Amino acid sequence: MRPRRPSRPLPPPAPASPPLRLLVADDNPVVRAGLTALLSAHPDTTVVAEARDGREAYEEAVRHRPDVILLDVRMPGLDGVSALPHLVGLAPVMMLTYSHETETVREALRLGAGGYLVHGEFTTEQLVRAVRDVREGRPHVTPGAARALLEGLRGDAPAHASPQLPFTDPPLSVKPLSQLQPSVGQSFRSRFRLSSREAEIMDLIASGMTNQQIAAACFISEKTVKNHINRIFAKLHSTTRSQATAKWLGVA
């Protein structure tokens, strides 16, 4: 009988990545406490500091050097949008707010926010994933913010202009969509017979988003986005994004 070879020891388990260190800035103490409890209880994230306004957010960011800053828009003193230029040099910033006005969303993204989440439009797991993605430079916007971007984009562009990317220093003057493109209404679009999800994705395509950005905005996989786009193109009798966009916006 051949002697048994000594078994090799199993390699040690790979060390778990440390939790993402977050700073939560919101003037509402109930919201701050809720977010802190929620995120600190998750193994992938921990809140290292809180702030009540933009100035305090800057001071705490300098002191703690968080991985990501979660920033409200409306706060007394120095508000979130005014604080953004000072904060983005310290850490990636995710807007986390109830505000989804067109100018506010676009100005926040123009000033360097890595994402824009509207309360009530995401789950805890989606929030954690969005925070990690923003840390890696992948933008996240929830549907309410994406709609604001799209409305502002259409409001600024003449009816015959090609859609522009939503993250490229757009002008801040916004005219009502109904004044510029009255034909782009529910009755006009109903002839395409898109489902509500397909219509949402077509809106994002028209805003210039890539499949990756659409997947992030809708919290679905890129494969699911591609499946939706295939069905959308079939219903719009289009083979390219530009063709589909022209038909969807009523300029083809």
Side-chain angles (χ1 to χ4, degrees):
M1 181 181 253
R2 298 173 65 180
R4 285 175 120 187
R5 293 183 180 178
S7 60
R8 293 182 179 179
L10 292 174
S17 58
L20 208 64
R21 302 171 67 256
L22 308 175
L23 186 159
V24 174
D26 195 299
D27 65 311
N28 188 324
V30 175
V31 173
R32 278 202 318 274
L35 285 171
T36 297
L38 194 70
L39 292 165
S40 293
H42 198 282
D44 289 342
T45 55
T46 185
V47 175
V48 296
E50 298 179 23
R52 294 167 293 182
D53 58 35
R55 187 175 301 279
E56 194 170 288
Y58 177 79
E59 293 170 353
E60 293 299 319
V62 170
R63 183 177 296 115
H64 294 278
R65 295 291 173 172
D67 297 312
V68 175
I69 299 168
L70 301 181
L71 185 65
D72 189 19
V73 169
R74 293 194 177 95
M75 295 182 289
L78 190 66
D79 62 58
V81 174
S82 300
L84 254 178
H86 308 283
L87 295 173
V88 292
L90 300 174
V93 177
M94 168 79 81
M95 306 307 293
L96 186 59
T97 178
Y98 288 99
S99 305
H100 53 79
E101 292 82 2
T102 299
E103 290 189 19
T104 302
V105 175
R106 297 175 71 194
E107 181 70 351
L109 294 173
R110 188 184 73 81
L111 291 173
Y116 201 109
L117 303 190
V118 178
H119 285 295
E121 296 186 345
F122 54 85
T123 65
T124 303
E125 291 302 320
Q126 289 168 342
L127 172 60
V128 171
R129 187 175 71 189
V131 167
R132 284 207 166 271
D133 281 351
V134 166
R135 176 69 178 87
E136 299 301 322
R138 294 187 292 271
H140 263 268
V141 292
T142 50
R147 282 191 294 272
L149 283 173
L150 179 63
E151 289 172 5
L153 179 72
R154 289 176 179 158
D156 286 335
H160 63 274
S162 299
Q164 301 295 314
L165 288 174
F167 301 107
T168 57
D169 286 355
L172 295 180
S173 59
V174 178
K175 298 180 181 178
L177 177 62
S178 59
Q179 293 180 11
L180 291 175
Q181 293 180 328
S183 62
V184 187
Q186 188 59 39
S187 59
F188 172 78
R189 293 179 174 181
S190 63
R191 67 190 180 96
F192 297 122
R193 300 186 181 279
L194 300 191
S195 69
S196 58
R197 175 60 106 180
E198 289 167 352
E200 179 184 6
I201 289 174
M202 189 59 234
D203 277 341
L204 299 180
I205 292 172
S207 76
M209 283 192 178
T210 64
N211 287 1
Q212 183 183 35
Q213 290 168 337
I214 294 171
C218 298
F219 294 103
I220 56 179
S221 69
E222 286 191 57
K223 182 179 179 182
T224 301
V225 171
K226 290 177 182 177
N227 291 338
H228 281 302
I229 290 175
N230 287 337
R231 289 192 289 270
I232 290 168
F233 281 10
K235 292 180 179 180
L236 269 63
H237 302 289
S238 301
T239 57
T240 67
R241 296 168 95 92
S242 58
Q243 286 178 355
T245 296
K247 291 184 178 181
W248 189 241
L249 296 182
V251 296

